[in-house]
């Protein structure tokens, strides 16, 4: 999988060959472990080519919803 680092710092990802570091703005072709893939899916700074992000959670407004009765 092609993983891209969009952050301003070096990022490490878990691959089947061990931890691989990706420098800012760079991409690497790697074979991810299940944990590595889960980490990237949760990260705002790393992306897997061709994969779309899940919808972001809406920002909290500070008001609590009351349960429907």
């Amino acid at each position: 999988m092609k993983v891209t680092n969009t952050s301003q710092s070096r990022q490490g990802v878990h691959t089947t060959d061990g931890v691989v570091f990706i420098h800012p703005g760079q991409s690497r072709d790697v074979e991810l472990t299940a944990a590595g893939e889960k980490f990237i899916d949760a990260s705002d700074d790393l992306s897997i080519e061709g994969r779309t992000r899940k919808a972001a959670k809406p920002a909290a407004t500070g008001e609590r919803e009351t349960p429907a009765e």
Side-chain angles (χ1 to χ4, degrees):
M1 297 179 183
K2 187 173 185 178
V3 178
T4 301
N5 176 3
T6 60
S7 76
Q8 297 298 313
S9 60
R10 183 176 69 162
Q11 300 288 320
V13 296
H14 290 270
T15 73
T16 56
D17 292 327
V19 175
V20 171
F21 291 95
I22 304 173
H23 292 279
Q26 300 294 309
S27 297
R28 299 268 313 254
D29 283 315
V30 294
E31 187 175 335
L32 298 170
T33 62
E37 195 166 343
K38 185 176 180 180
F39 175 77
I40 291 171
D41 285 341
S43 172
D44 290 333
D45 297 327
L46 296 166
S47 62
I48 298 173
E49 184 176 292
R51 186 176 293 180
T52 58
R53 290 222 178 268
K54 296 176 184 172
K57 292 180 181 177
T61 62
E63 296 179 18
R64 292 187 181 190
E65 289 185 31
T66 55
E69 293 183 24

